[in-house]
């Protein structure tokens, strides 16, 4: 199976698509100016204690107070709290955690008011991003995630990933980590550490320990709420978790991000650093790899799959609901039971893909087509477990109920990726009336004149819908040729599948978008005002 990553870097966000045999199986979007991302550390202050919830609300600077439950304090909270008090008492000296005496664990059935009080300062980590109307969820079990391991202060345990099956390798890793691990830290060894050399593991261990020391030093000179630690690069942090040496290519369309990813790949897998490639064509990178079309067809409410069957996906505040329909199947079996099993098995494949693609979490309820035979219901359950085995998110699948419903719980740490595939009319903005579409090319010509002659922009790309681009460039004496003779050859008209029919955007040679909508509205209002003034003056003269 051919696996590739495609990274689309835009001004406001980074999109990372995972392709398997050119088919989109995972899509992640990260805002470039996002705050409160999972893994970030904040110095926060306790605002309210809620005994009824056995939790507290903390101020981390977000519009909604963040939520910290008693169970998210971690058993080592007493050691953590004593360390923080010592660090804040003497801000010129960082306490040495290896010499710090660990306190007894707090009771699992304890109460929040016995360990926290309003106004108390805590170093917290984002466990879940803000979702819907809820603020971030926090934990005081601090962890620093690397490629090969997760480092956690205030402990002394070594845990090995269950996905490492070899007993000899588990023993080797446990002994190796035990020899290089500083006292006072627990370590979770990740699957990617399998068969790695001691030098690689030791280097990452020292890097993660330094992240902890730097975070404490910054905390000592900060006042809450304050961001203490975040990943250097959003793209690298996302790729760190999904990277595999089996990738054949990683395409990136921006030089700085390309260099960051290439350096990261060279660090963790030097023999594969050449798979990172800089994409330099004018055609949008997602259009080139047919990702835009797959997004449009995969993120709607209704998703079709093989033989005419389809699923309907609905999102609510409490759960996600998926309904399976046979539709107008072209290869329907004469046996209704076999037909239902065939549709359900294919639907299971698509549902497993959709859960990864949309990053759906929480409770998922699936209404499969009813089947009477017990062996068919068991076959569907086994098949769903099999196709969900590659899903990195923790999940639990229950067998079909007597109503034919399957329930799945899937780890949710960020909002589900919900992309609207329907397009709001860019000309009327939903009002229902637009200017004649035949005159759209005249409008583009006016924009070109405005850009070249008034704004003095010489080099830029104008992106339009593929149908419009084909019309502009059709024939030997095309509009495109006429415009380039009139306004110079510093600009290009390029098709972009993500745009609506009468929509366009302009990107200058530095990669920044020129907002012509506001400019045109402003200039149009100016011209109308100017025209009214001239009319009034002429009437006064008469």
């Amino acid at each position: 199976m051919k696996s590739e990553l495609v990274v689309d870097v835009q001004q406001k966000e980074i999109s990372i698509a995972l392709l398997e045999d050119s088919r989109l199986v995972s899509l992640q979007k990260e805002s470039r100016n996002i705050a409160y991302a999972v893994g970030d550390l904040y110095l926060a202050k306790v605002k309210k204690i809620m005994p009824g919830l056995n939790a507290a609300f903390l101020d981390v600077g977000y519009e909604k107070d963040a939520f910290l439950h008693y169970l998210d304090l971690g058993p080592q909270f007493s050691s953590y709290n004593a360390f923080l008090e010592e660090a804040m008492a003497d801000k010129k000296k960082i306490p040495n955690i290896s010499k710090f005496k660990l306190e007894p664990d707090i009771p699992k059935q304890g109460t929040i008011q016995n360990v926290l009080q309003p106004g108390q300062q805590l170093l917290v980590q984002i466990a879940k991003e803000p979702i819907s109307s809820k603020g971030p969820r926090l934990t005081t079990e601090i962890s620093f995630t690397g490629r090969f391991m997760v480092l956690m202060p205030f402990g002394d345990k070594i845990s090995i990933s269950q996905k490492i099956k070899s007993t000899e390798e588990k023993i080797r890793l446990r002994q190796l980590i035990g020899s290089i691990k500083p006292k006072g830290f627990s370590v979770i060894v990740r699957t990617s550490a399998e068969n790695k050399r001691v030098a690689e593991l030791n280097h990452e261990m020292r890097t993660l320990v330094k992240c902890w020391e730097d975070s404490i030093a910054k905390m000592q000179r900060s006042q809450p709420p304050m961001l203490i630690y975040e990943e250097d690069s959003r793209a690298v942090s996302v790729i760190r978790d999904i990277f595999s040496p089996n990738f054949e290519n990683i395409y990136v369309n921006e030089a700085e991000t390309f260099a960051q990813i290439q350096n990261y790949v060279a660090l963790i897998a030097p023999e594969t650093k050449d798979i990172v490639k800089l994409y330099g064509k004018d055609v949008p990178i997602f259009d080139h790899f047919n990702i835009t079309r797959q997004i449009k067809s995969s993120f709607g409410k209704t998703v079709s799959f093989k033989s005419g069957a389809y699923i309907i996906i609905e999102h609510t505040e409490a759960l996600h609901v998926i309904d399976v329909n046979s539709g107008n199947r072209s290869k329907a079996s004469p046996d209704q039971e076999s037909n239902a099993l065939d549709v359900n098995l294919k639907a299971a494949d698509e549902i497993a893909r959709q859960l990864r693609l949309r990053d759906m979490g929480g409770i998922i309820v699936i209404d499969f087509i009813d089947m009477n035979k017990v062996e068919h219901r068991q076959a569907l359950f086994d098949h769903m477990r099999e196709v969900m085995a590659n899903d990195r998110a923790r999940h639990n699948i229950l067998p079909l109920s007597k109503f034919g419903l399957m329930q799945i719980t899937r780890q949710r740490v960020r909002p589900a990726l919900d992309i609207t595939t329907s397009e709001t009319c860019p000309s009327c903005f939903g009002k229902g009336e637009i200017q004649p579409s035949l005159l759209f090319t005249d409008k583009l010509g006016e924009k070109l004149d405005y850009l070249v002659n008034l704004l003095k922009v010489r080099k830029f790309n104008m992106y339009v819908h593929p149908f419009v681009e084909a019309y502009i460039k059709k024939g030997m004496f095309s509009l495109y040729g006429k415009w380039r003779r009139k306004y110079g050859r510093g600009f290009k008209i390029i098709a972009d599948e993500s745009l609506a029919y009468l929509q366009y955007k302009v990107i200058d040679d530095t990669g920044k978008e020129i907002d012509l909508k506001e400019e045109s509205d402003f200039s149009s209002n100016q011209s109308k005002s100017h025209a009214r003034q001239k009319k009034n003056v002429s009437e006064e003269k008469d």
Side-chain angles (χ1 to χ4, degrees):
M1 183 169 56
K2 180 181 179 182
S3 297
E4 295 178 310
L5 276 182
V6 181
V7 183
D8 181 21
V9 182
Q10 300 295 334
Q11 276 185 282
K12 296 182 179 179
E13 68 178 7
I14 297 175
S15 302
I16 301 177
L18 173 60
L19 304 178
E20 292 180 355
D21 292 331
S22 299
R23 188 167 182 251
L24 180 66
V25 296
S26 176
L27 178 67
Q28 297 193 44
K29 290 179 176 285
E30 291 282 347
S31 174
R32 301 188 74 177
N33 57 355
I34 190 173
Y36 313 103
V38 173
D40 288 353
L41 294 183
Y42 282 83
L43 180 61
K45 181 181 288 187
V46 178
K47 288 189 69 175
K48 289 185 292 185
I49 302 293
M50 305 294 288
L53 298 174
N54 202 17
F57 286 98
L58 282 71
D59 179 17
V60 294
Y62 189 66
E63 55 185 337
K64 296 278 187 180
D65 288 338
F67 182 80
L68 176 64
H69 194 271
Y70 177 83
L71 296 177
D72 293 323
L73 294 175
Q76 306 89 12
F77 181 77
S78 296
S79 302
Y80 155 92
N81 194 37
F83 183 89
L84 252 60
E85 289 178 352
E86 183 177 328
M88 299 303 282
D90 185 1
K91 297 186 177 182
K92 295 181 180 180
K93 178 184 176 183
I94 300 176
N96 190 340
I97 194 171
S98 61
K99 298 179 181 179
F100 190 79
K101 182 180 179 182
L102 298 180
E103 304 284 338
D105 292 354
I106 60 174
K108 289 184 178 180
Q109 305 301 325
T111 55
I112 194 81
Q113 61 265 37
N114 291 336
V115 291
L116 292 183
Q117 57 187 4
Q120 185 175 349
Q121 295 185 14
L122 297 175
L123 182 65
V124 295
Q125 190 164 36
I126 305 293
K128 288 186 179 180
E129 292 178 6
I131 297 175
S132 185
S133 60
K134 303 173 184 176
R137 182 156 183 167
L138 306 176
T139 178
T140 57
E141 287 191 281
I142 308 299
S143 63
F144 294 89
T145 305
R147 174 64 182 162
F148 305 126
M149 67 190 74
V150 179
L151 184 74
M152 298 177 294
F154 311 111
D156 201 29
K157 297 180 181 178
I158 300 174
S159 303
I160 310 293
S161 169
Q162 294 180 355
K163 292 182 179 180
I164 299 177
K165 303 300 182 183
S166 170
T167 304
E168 294 79 7
E169 179 63 12
K170 286 184 177 181
I171 295 173
R172 184 189 77 91
L173 287 172
R174 190 177 299 277
Q175 292 176 344
L176 195 156
I177 296 298
S179 65
I180 63 175
K181 180 184 72 67
K183 188 180 177 182
F185 289 96
S186 291
V187 175
I188 299 175
V189 181
R190 305 183 71 183
T191 310
S192 54
E194 190 172 11
N195 299 320
K196 295 300 178 183
R197 301 188 304 272
V198 62
E200 295 177 87
L201 299 176
N202 186 56
H203 178 267
E204 182 166 280
M205 176 79 72
R206 301 305 159 201
T207 301
L208 296 178
V209 170
K210 189 174 188 305
C211 289
W212 161 254
E213 294 173 347
D214 291 345
S215 299
I216 296 300
K218 184 175 181 180
M219 180 196 72
Q220 290 177 314
R221 56 180 187 270
S222 302
Q223 293 295 325
M226 176 64 71
L227 174 64
I228 300 299
Y229 169 81
E230 66 176 338
E231 299 284 352
D232 293 333
S233 168
R234 296 290 176 197
V236 170
S237 65
V238 172
I239 286 179
R240 178 192 64 206
D241 293 330
I242 63 177
F243 177 79
S244 168
N246 297 325
F247 287 153
E248 294 191 13
N249 296 295
I250 300 177
Y251 296 99
V252 191
N253 65 342
E254 198 246 357
E256 183 179 351
T257 306
F258 163 76
Q260 292 174 350
I261 294 175
Q262 189 178 52
N263 291 338
Y264 177 74
V265 173
L267 179 66
I268 63 173
E271 67 282 0
T272 64
K273 69 175 183 179
D274 292 335
I275 67 173
V276 186
K277 299 172 182 177
L278 180 63
Y279 177 85
K281 297 180 181 178
D282 291 327
V283 178
I285 188 170
F286 271 18
D287 287 6
H288 179 79
F289 290 99
N290 198 34
I291 297 171
T292 304
R293 184 177 296 274
Q294 293 189 61
I295 291 174
K296 296 275 188 183
S297 64
S298 300
F299 279 89
K301 176 181 175 180
T302 302
V303 179
S304 299
F305 52 97
K306 294 179 180 179
S307 304
Y310 62 94
I311 59 176
I312 297 175
I313 302 174
E314 295 276 8
H315 306 282
T316 72
E317 183 71 20
L319 48 79
H320 306 280
V321 182
I322 302 176
D323 183 34
V324 179
N325 295 276
S326 59
N328 298 319
R329 286 186 23 97
S330 59
K331 296 180 180 180
S333 170
D335 178 10
Q336 184 177 354
E337 183 77 10
S338 300
N339 185 49
L341 176 61
D342 186 46
V343 172
N344 285 339
L345 291 177
K346 288 182 170 62
D349 293 336
E350 183 61 31
I351 290 169
R353 172 176 173 257
Q354 288 290 330
L355 296 184
R356 292 175 63 190
L357 195 57
R358 303 184 187 216
D359 202 11
M360 293 163 59
I363 301 173
I364 300 105
V365 178
I366 308 168
D367 182 12
F368 284 105
I369 299 173
D370 290 340
M371 296 182 296
N372 296 321
K373 294 184 179 179
V374 176
E375 59 268 26
H376 286 175
R377 296 157 70 94
Q378 183 63 38
L380 176 59
F381 174 62
D382 293 339
H383 184 71
M384 178 59 83
R385 294 178 62 183
E386 180 184 343
V387 295
M388 289 282 289
N390 293 328
D391 195 335
R392 292 178 54 256
R394 291 195 302 272
H395 58 271
N396 187 31
I397 305 172
L398 297 182
L400 287 167
S401 70
K402 63 180 180 179
F403 298 117
L405 302 178
M406 178 178 288
Q407 300 172 65
I408 299 175
T409 59
R410 187 174 184 272
Q411 181 186 24
R412 177 172 67 177
V413 295
R414 55 176 57 89
L417 187 59
D418 191 14
I419 296 176
T420 303
T421 55
S422 59
E423 299 172 348
T424 301
C425 173
S427 298
C428 73
F429 299 100
K431 296 177 182 177
E433 294 183 356
I434 64 172
Q435 295 178 349
S437 57
L438 191 62
L439 302 181
F440 181 61
T441 53
D442 296 343
K443 182 180 180 180
L444 293 181
E446 292 172 3
K447 298 301 180 186
L448 291 173
D449 180 71
Y450 178 72
L451 281 162
V452 174
N453 295 326
L454 289 180
L455 295 186
K456 305 299 181 183
V457 181
R458 300 299 180 189
K459 291 185 177 182
F460 58 89
N461 292 336
M462 177 177 280
Y463 292 89
V464 296
H465 189 275
F467 292 174
V468 177
E469 187 254 1
Y471 177 78
I472 290 172
K473 293 184 177 180
K474 74 170 183 175
M476 184 177 297
F477 302 101
S478 63
L479 269 176
Y480 183 53
K482 176 183 174 182
W483 287 342
R484 282 168 69 88
R485 288 190 295 272
K486 184 176 180 180
Y487 301 115
R489 299 184 176 274
F491 72 93
K492 296 178 182 178
I493 304 288
I494 301 171
D496 187 341
E497 294 178 358
S498 67
L499 297 178
Y501 180 50
L502 298 182
Q503 193 177 5
Y504 63 93
K505 66 178 180 181
V506 176
I507 307 294
D508 64 19
D509 57 346
T510 65
K512 294 183 179 179
E513 183 174 353
I514 302 174
D515 191 348
L516 287 178
K517 176 174 171 286
E518 293 182 359
E519 294 282 358
S520 63
D521 291 344
F522 177 72
S523 60
S524 175
N525 291 337
Q526 270 194 332
S527 61
K528 288 177 182 176
S529 176
H530 184 62
R532 282 195 294 268
Q533 289 176 1
K534 284 185 67 178
K535 181 179 179 182
N536 293 337
V537 171
S538 62
E539 287 176 352
E540 289 176 1
K541 287 182 179 179
D542 294 340

